[in-house]
Amino acid sequence: MKPQIHPRRTPQKATPLMILTDWLDTIWNLLAHPTPDTFQQEARKAPGKFVSALIWVVAAVTVVALGTMLIYRLPFDFGTIAILWFFAPIAFLFFGFSLDVMYRKVYGAKQSLYDEFLYLVTALLVPFMLLSFLLSLVPVAGSYLGWLIWSYPIFLLVQIIRALTRLKPGQAVALTVLSILLGGTGGFCLPLFLLAMSGVMPGVF
């Protein structure tokens, strides 16, 4: 089952402005024009975006953490923010890794799509992290809206996977669900394991 994505764009020495422009264009196109052609075209921008993907994730969790502290008048807690800086990027990396490994090992694909998965997953989920936070502030129904909004990006994620891999709908759904479970588990357990091994949190394992 051979994916029909466009050839990867040849990496060039990009300036920070060019990288930011790529990200903003991709975020807009994923939300405004969610079609298979869009997903395939935007995936070509993935090479060289590893570091900037981590920056987006760290920036998003920082905004959410600081916003929560300000709105609910909580004391500033740098420890909490530092933990989020540690856990959130690993969760995203592990999720992209799970998608790529499951795709290659279960469905026999030979080409790695890790860069493409990480880039598009980050471009898709970071805006919804912020939107979910804003909706959670709505009185009474906020907590429900904050969770309900996640159904749409998960649907889009399935469509992205189908566009990049040409998997059948059921296969794409299975790959998405399993990768979310593996990514969530690994993103939580791996940092704890690393902290335990480093002696920061002795006795965890």
Side-chain angles (χ1 to χ4, degrees), residues 3 9 47 51 66 69 78 84 88-89 105 110 174 178 188 193 200:
R9 189 173 64 180
V51 173
L66 291 178
M69 293 175 188
F78 179 76
L84 291 174
K105 298 300 182 182
K110 295 182 179 180
L178 289 175
F188 179 75
F193 176 76
V200 175

Side-chain angles (χ1 to χ4, degrees), residues 30-46:
L30 292 183
L31 300 179
H33 311 288
T35 66
D37 286 342
T38 296
F39 303 146
Q40 293 170 9
Q41 187 67 28
E42 295 304 317
R44 298 180 63 233
K45 302 175 183 177

Side-chain angles (χ1 to χ4, degrees), residues 10-26:
T10 302
Q12 300 176 350
K13 189 174 181 180
T15 65
L17 181 59
M18 292 169 61
I19 294 174
L20 178 61
T21 300
D22 273 353
W23 278 103
L24 294 179
D25 282 346
T26 296

Side-chain angles (χ1 to χ4, degrees), residues 17-90:
L17 181 59
M18 292 169 61
I19 294 174
L20 178 61
T21 300
D22 273 353
W23 278 103
L24 294 179
D25 282 346
T26 296
I27 291 171
W28 170 255
N29 288 329
L30 292 183
L31 300 179
H33 311 288
T35 66
D37 286 342
T38 296
F39 303 146
Q40 293 170 9
Q41 187 67 28
E42 295 304 317
R44 298 180 63 233
K45 302 175 183 177
K49 298 300 195 302
F50 180 86
V51 173
S52 55
L54 299 185
I55 292 173
W56 273 105
V57 174
V58 168
V61 297
T62 301
V63 169
V64 172
L66 291 178
T68 301
M69 293 175 188
L70 289 173
I71 291 171
Y72 294 102
R73 298 182 179 179
L74 301 174
F76 177 78
D77 187 352
F78 179 76
T80 298
I81 295 177
I83 290 174
L84 291 174
W85 286 348
F86 187 65
F87 277 73
I90 290 180

Side-chain angles (χ1 to χ4, degrees), residues 40 157-170 172-173:
Q40 293 170 9
L157 182 57
V158 173
Q159 305 311 309
I160 288 173
I161 291 172
R162 288 189 63 197
L164 298 189
T165 65
R166 296 304 187 190
L167 292 177
K168 296 178 181 178
V173 170

